[in-house]
Amino acid sequence: MYVASLGRDATQTQVSALFLHYANLLFGLGILAGPALVRGRRGFWPALVGSVLAAIGFANLSGMLLSDWWNLSASTHLDPEQAATVFEGFQQSSLLALWEGTMPFNLLGPVLVLVGLIRAGVIRWWTVPVYIAGVAGLMVIPADLPLATAAAVLVGFSPLALVGLRLVGRYRAGTI
């Protein structure tokens, strides 16, 4: 079913995978700058550990999107049963669980970064519930409601945009 859905509209599949790849890659790189906002020791370690975990999680998620192109190719060059068999074989790879095991890092890491920045007095407490609500929305909103999913992304990741704005502000002020 999943492989067949990717093959229905090759352009949409490729554009989606490309944007998701770069978005996750940029999130992973950008969040590494978060600990630079911390002055002193208070909040530094959660921000640092969270940024490293998030960077690993987002980078691995970015790399996993290559499978969308493989699944698209399988769905266009093989009959549906063969394409599904190839997908199932991929999912059963013995070491894939190690790669997929980092997926929670891109959920937990940003929370730790936000908590560290809250403890350091850089941002306010409400950023963590907003982030968690947006991520929870992504998990429960049905795939056939793309506008609701987009709203959850915008709401959920707005605290990370706030962190980015703080970084830009400090850079302009010459304090980073």
Side-chain angles (χ1 to χ4, degrees), residues 49-70:
V49 170
S51 68
V52 170
L53 289 176
I56 292 168
F58 282 117
N60 279 348
L61 181 57
S62 171
M64 292 188 105
L65 289 164
L66 182 59
S67 69
D68 283 356
W69 273 281
W70 295 335

Side-chain angles (χ1 to χ4, degrees), residues 3-66:
V3 177
S5 71
L6 293 176
R8 280 192 210 109
D9 187 340
T11 301
Q12 181 178 356
T13 295
Q14 293 177 71
V15 168
S16 171
L18 193 63
F19 279 126
L20 285 170
H21 161 72
Y22 283 114
N24 283 293
L25 192 61
L26 291 173
F27 270 126
L29 291 172
I31 203 159
L32 289 171
L37 291 169
V38 177
R39 301 286 182 247
R41 297 175 64 182
R42 187 174 174 93
F44 176 75
W45 286 108
L48 180 65
V49 170
S51 68
V52 170
L53 289 176
I56 292 168
F58 282 117
N60 279 348
L61 181 57
S62 171
M64 292 188 105
L65 289 164
L66 182 59

Side-chain angles (χ1 to χ4, degrees), residues 64 87-103:
M64 292 188 105
F87 179 71
E88 289 169 13
F90 166 75
Q91 292 292 81
Q92 294 172 0
S93 299
S94 63
L95 296 179
L96 185 63
L98 292 174
W99 191 356
E100 289 180 335
T102 64
M103 300 305 283

Side-chain angles (χ1 to χ4, degrees), residues 114 118 122-134 155-163 166:
L114 295 174
I118 291 166
V122 176
I123 57 174
R124 306 291 291 209
W125 66 269
W126 56 265
T127 56
V128 171
V130 167
Y131 175 77
I132 291 172
V155 168
F157 288 96
S158 64
L160 298 181
L162 176 62
V163 171
R166 295 286 164 97

